[in-house]
Amino acid sequence: MERTIVAFAKPIALGLICFVSILYISKNVGAAFVISLVPLLLGWLGIMETFAYAIAAMVFLAAVAWAATPVSVKSILAEHSERALTDIQQEIKTR
């Protein structure tokens, strides 16, 4: 009985960790939901569990690193990413 509860609850916990981490990083609920399905479904199916746990762990560590990043660095990164997006959009329009 306990083994079944753990096998059911562990993927849910990893899916929630992944969902909240992606939501914190991207502020996009759809992306967070889709990416969190990977560890959830792989854990429930019992296949590639190490891969699923690694995904959840990497996403969580990325969210922790993003939370520890100073605001000034975040603003610089936002400025550069916006500039890169406009350059890419201009390049696409010219083709």
Side-chain angles (χ1 to χ4, degrees):
M1 179 72 177
E2 292 173 5
R3 184 178 240 180
T4 307
I5 293 171
V6 170
F8 184 75
K10 193 188 308 184
I12 291 175
L14 287 173
L16 284 174
I17 289 169
C18 194
F19 178 79
V20 170
S21 298
I22 293 292
L23 188 62
Y24 178 76
I25 292 171
S26 70
K27 307 287 190 269
N28 187 345
V29 176
F33 179 71
V34 170
I35 294 172
S36 69
L37 285 177
V38 174
L40 181 69
L41 295 176
L42 289 178
W44 276 345
L45 293 174
I47 55 173
M48 297 175 56
E49 288 180 350
T50 306
F51 176 70
Y53 299 156
I55 288 174
M58 287 188 299
V59 167
F60 178 72
L61 290 175
V64 168
W66 186 249
T69 304
V71 176
S72 60
V73 174
K74 289 180 184 180
S75 64
I76 292 170
L77 289 173
E79 178 185 324
H80 285 289
S81 64
E82 288 173 8
R83 190 180 318 147
L85 284 175
T86 57
D87 290 345
I88 291 170
Q89 289 173 349
Q90 290 174 355
E91 182 69 28
I92 289 173
K93 287 180 182 178
T94 60
R95 290 185 180 199

